[in-house]
Amino acid sequence: MTEAYEAELVVDGIEFAADGVLVLLLRDPSGEPLPGWEPGAHVDLLLRPGLERQFSLCGDPADRTRWRIAVLREPAGRGGSAHVHDRLGPGDKVRVRGPRNHFRLEPARAYRFVAGGIGITPILPMLAAAEAAGAEWSLLYGGRTRRSMAFTAELAAYGGRVTLAPEDECGLLDLGSVLDDLPEGTLVYCCGPGPLLDAVEGRCPAGALRVERFQPRDQPVEGDGEFEVELARSGLTVTVGPGVSVLDAVRAAGVEVLYSCTEGTCGTCETDVLDGTPDHRDSVLTAEEQEGGETMMICVSRCRGRRLLLDL
């Protein structure tokens, strides 16, 4: 794993993209260029000790002077969105780590994009990339109301390739209109609430779908027995007991690793597996990546056996 970029950035501007959606523009206070990124990337905002949240970059990847993120205020959330909305203003500084990308836009002849609510944020730069590549594409974008849907003015520039479907006007998204009878070679990219992702998964052929989840998918509780983890670089062997995560066991042994969500959704704690078979319980890796077993998210995933050798 390469060391992540981490720096204190300054809030260069604030905008409102929709009801409850605040847009932050972030820049390096010394004017240094920010790390490059590709569509689908997100960054971690380290808001205060114990409060870290991930937000998708939704600006122009070619602009190395500023990063743009959009934050939906979630009244029932755990405090991250409220902190951004209520405590950050122009000129304030915030510590940022990343970018990290588990939702890359893969080359394809055609794309079908489906976004729900704030799930439009990682999709926005994908549309520009698909357009620049000359690919055939369309976007189906839903939200509770038209006023709650962010970046609709930007999307209007794409004309009829974008379908806006506010639920109070159109009902639930008509997924069949864009997902039935997909032409061969079409990739589907979807981001939004869990029920939408589940519905899209149920309609897509194997291998065609790429998703990013804000909440972990439901996982069966089984295979929660004790196993050992050998740490190749540290020279330690750690016992991971029932109900204890690999992450917690490793940290208790004095080995510091990067982590954030502890739910298997952000990818911060991804660790290389040198030997053994992981029991994947994350919502980040694709089915093919999980089958390959080369990495694992140590905050939730476990071991299909008695031993793992990790690059820690």
Side-chain angles (χ1 to χ4, degrees):
M1 295 174 63
T2 57
E3 187 172 346
Y5 167 87
E6 184 176 321
E8 194 170 57
L9 302 183
V10 65
V11 178
D12 196 41
I14 287 183
E15 306 166 357
F16 280 92
D19 285 351
V21 179
L22 180 73
V23 174
L24 291 182
L25 302 174
L26 303 170
R27 64 171 174 82
D28 185 280
S30 65
E32 289 294 314
L34 297 170
W37 59 279
E38 297 178 354
H42 70 259
V43 294
D44 304 333
L45 262 59
L46 285 61
L47 300 170
R48 55 177 166 79
L51 188 63
E52 300 179 12
R53 294 294 182 268
Q54 296 74 46
F55 300 101
S56 297
L57 292 169
C58 57
D60 178 3
D63 183 0
R64 300 283 297 275
T65 65
R66 297 195 303 182
W67 283 344
R68 181 173 75 162
I69 62 172
V71 182
L72 170 67
R73 180 188 285 275
E74 300 186 63
R78 296 177 294 166
S81 66
H83 185 106
V84 172
H85 276 252
D86 298 337
R87 300 192 181 187
L88 292 184
D92 288 340
K93 292 182 178 180
V94 60
R95 196 149 195 87
V96 182
R97 184 172 60 219
R100 186 176 295 104
N101 200 340
H102 286 281
F103 195 41
R104 284 185 169 84
L105 186 68
E106 301 171 22
R109 291 182 296 177
Y111 300 96
R112 297 293 178 267
F113 298 103
V114 181
I118 199 63
I120 188 62
T121 51
I123 300 294
L124 265 181
M126 292 185 179
L127 305 182
E131 181 79 356
E136 188 271 316
W137 65 268
S138 67
L139 166 68
L140 178 61
Y141 175 26
R144 296 186 311 278
T145 67
R146 194 174 294 270
R147 288 175 57 87
S148 72
M149 296 169 64
F151 304 114
T152 54
E154 290 184 30
L155 293 170
Y158 292 117
R161 281 169 293 181
V162 173
T163 300
L164 302 181
E167 186 174 355
D168 63 338
E169 300 175 23
C170 308
L172 296 177
L173 290 179
D174 181 7
L175 297 177
S177 65
V178 295
L179 299 180
D180 289 351
D181 301 318
L182 285 176
E184 185 177 353
T186 300
L187 290 182
V188 178
Y189 279 77
C190 181
C191 186
L196 171 62
L197 271 61
D198 293 341
V200 171
E201 281 184 338
R203 283 184 172 269
C204 283
L209 179 61
R210 308 290 184 269
V211 302
E212 182 167 62
R213 291 181 176 269
F214 298 137
Q215 300 294 330
R217 69 172 84 231
D218 291 334
Q219 299 281 0
V221 180
E222 57 184 23
D224 200 25
E226 183 178 284
F227 59 94
E228 289 190 342
V229 174
E230 184 179 346
L231 310 181
R233 282 188 278 135
S234 303
L236 300 175
T237 297
V238 177
T239 299
V240 181
V244 177
S245 70
V246 176
L247 172 65
D248 287 344
V250 167
R251 295 185 68 237
V255 178
E256 287 301 316
V257 294
L258 288 179
Y259 69 97
S260 183
C261 74
T262 69
E263 295 180 325
T265 59
C266 75
T268 304
C269 69
E270 183 174 14
T271 301
D272 290 339
V273 178
L274 305 179
D275 194 26
T277 304
D279 177 8
H280 294 288
R281 304 185 182 188
D282 66 275
S283 301
V284 177
L285 299 175
T286 65
E288 293 79 9
E289 289 170 332
Q290 290 186 348
E291 181 67 24
E294 295 182 359
T295 67
M296 65 183 289
M297 306 302 159
I298 62 173
C299 66
V300 292
S301 296
R302 300 184 69 79
C303 177
R304 292 189 181 277
R306 298 295 302 164
R307 176 182 168 276
L308 286 171
L309 177 62
L310 301 182
D311 185 23
L312 287 174

